[in-house]
Amino acid sequence: MTLPKHQPHRLAWPLMAAALVVSWSSGFVGIRYASESADVMLVLFWRTLMSGLILLPFALMIGPRIGARALMRQMAFGVAMMFLYLGGFALAIGQRVPTGLVALISDLVPLAIAALSQPILGHRLTSRQWTGTALGALGVLIVSLNSLSFGTAPGWAYMVTIASMMVFALATVLQKRMGTIDMPIHQGLCIQCLTAAMLFAACAGWNGGLMPPLDGRFGFGIAWLVLFSTFFCYGVYYVSLRLHSAAQVSSVIYLSPPVTMLWAWLLFGEPLSAAMFLGLAVTLFGVWLTSPRGTVSKGETSLGPIGQPADLS
């Protein structure tokens, strides 16, 4: 007798998406606190180092043995998804690329993932999903419009922001293509964090040293970044990628700019604007359009790498 396949509860994806967007936007809070008394490269070094060290005993004792090939793959993704992605934007801001422009480019990750999903994963987006993706990008633009300026940074610094966004998008779809997200999340995240920490150590050392400031705000910021913006956020992101298509998962990232502004309003008293609510409404509608409607068209898939159900073992 064939047992019926287990179907996830209809609220599973909305709850997971909400957790992802809240935790994705939470990095603003930790960076805001920690960078008040330290260079951003030093903040990123301690964020990734502490995250990796906390996970290390669990990665060694719980889960399958990590082979050399799997180790090298995860190290490569650590370079791409942590060092180049986070460090690239930090470098751009350090070169005086306006923060609003950096945030706008970083939040276009879903558009890049949607564009890469078809040639690399064979995931064909429907016209409805492409419309939703475009509306998500429009909502981000509306939210960011008031803070946008081009600044006077060197030309290469602007290219760094675009390259960082594209690296993260490419790494995401390649993980789906290669099946590397099937490694237990705590093991993969540990390797990625420690790999990025070694590279951020070189950058922070070049900028002045690795000693953290003895400051309560720095400590709170690092704790926030480790527990919420790394463990929780990356954990939810990788679990979501196992269960859903890369384009669908990434689409909720469009909601991070307005949610970030809500964080700023709640914790730092920064004002809200009508543009934020308009952008939020447009983005919510776009994200709704990208969500599965219960049927999968020919050539389209929402589960697992290369159209196969994700292996959660």
Side-chain angles (χ1 to χ4, degrees):
M1 181 179 67
T2 303
L3 294 176
K5 293 184 178 180
H6 173 70
Q7 294 294 327
H9 193 277
R10 61 187 180 88
L11 291 179
W13 168 240
L15 291 174
M16 189 172 293
L20 178 59
V21 70
V22 169
S23 59
W24 191 278
S25 61
S26 72
F28 160 78
V29 178
I31 291 290
R32 173 86 176 246
Y33 276 108
S35 62
E36 288 185 359
S37 55
D39 178 77
V40 68
M41 289 295 178
L42 184 64
V43 173
L44 293 173
F45 164 67
W46 281 101
R47 170 187 177 173
T48 51
L49 178 66
M50 294 305 298
S51 299
L53 290 179
I54 291 172
L55 289 172
L56 184 58
F58 301 99
L60 293 175
M61 294 185 297
I62 303 174
R65 180 179 176 274
I66 302 173
R69 184 179 181 184
L71 176 64
M72 295 302 294
R73 280 185 173 182
Q74 292 298 333
M75 290 179 68
F77 285 117
V79 173
M81 302 190 75
M82 290 196 174
F83 177 69
L84 293 179
Y85 178 65
L86 298 175
F89 290 123
L91 177 61
I93 292 173
Q95 291 294 318
R96 295 183 175 82
V97 176
T99 304
L101 184 59
V102 171
L104 173 64
I105 294 173
S106 69
D107 289 315
L108 293 181
V109 162
L111 188 60
I113 289 178
L116 292 170
S117 289
Q118 181 166 342
I120 296 179
L121 298 178
H123 292 183
R124 182 172 61 83
L125 271 67
T126 64
S127 58
R128 178 192 182 101
Q129 290 173 312
W130 274 117
T131 301
T133 298
L135 285 174
L138 176 62
V140 169
L141 181 61
I142 292 172
V143 170
S144 306
L145 201 56
N146 288 338
S147 61
L148 284 184
S149 63
F150 287 100
T152 58
W156 63 264
Y158 296 95
M159 296 304 298
V160 164
T161 61
I162 298 173
S164 299
M165 180 268 292
M166 290 301 298
V167 162
F168 187 89
L170 180 61
T172 294
V173 295
L174 284 178
Q175 284 199 97
K176 289 282 286 185
R177 180 70 177 84
M178 299 167 66
T180 58
I181 56 174
D182 288 336
M183 173 182 282
I185 292 172
H186 65 286
Q187 290 183 321
L189 192 56
C190 176
I191 296 169
Q192 293 182 21
C193 285
L194 291 179
T195 301
M198 290 188 292
L199 298 172
F200 282 130
C203 298
W206 179 269
N207 288 343
L210 301 180
M211 288 300 296
L214 301 178
D215 180 90
R217 293 178 73 84
F218 180 85
F220 175 83
I222 294 298
W224 182 282
L225 288 169
V226 169
L227 298 176
F228 199 34
S229 306
T230 301
F231 290 168
F232 187 74
C233 180
Y234 276 83
V236 172
Y237 187 67
Y238 285 136
V239 169
S240 300
L241 282 177
R242 289 183 176 185
L243 298 173
H244 304 281
S245 71
Q248 180 186 340
V249 172
S250 66
S251 68
V252 302
I253 297 173
Y254 279 139
L255 292 169
S256 64
V259 174
T260 296
M261 292 183 180
L262 287 175
W263 280 115
W265 173 68
L266 286 170
L267 297 178
F268 307 112
E270 296 186 7
L272 300 177
S273 66
M276 189 210 79
F277 292 103
L278 175 60
L280 176 60
V282 172
T283 302
L284 278 171
F285 183 60
V287 171
W288 177 75
L289 285 177
T290 63
S291 300
R293 307 260 54 87
T295 60
V296 180
S297 62
K298 184 178 180 181
E300 180 188 2
T301 180
S302 62
L303 290 177
I306 321 307
Q308 298 301 318
D311 179 9
L312 298 181
S313 61

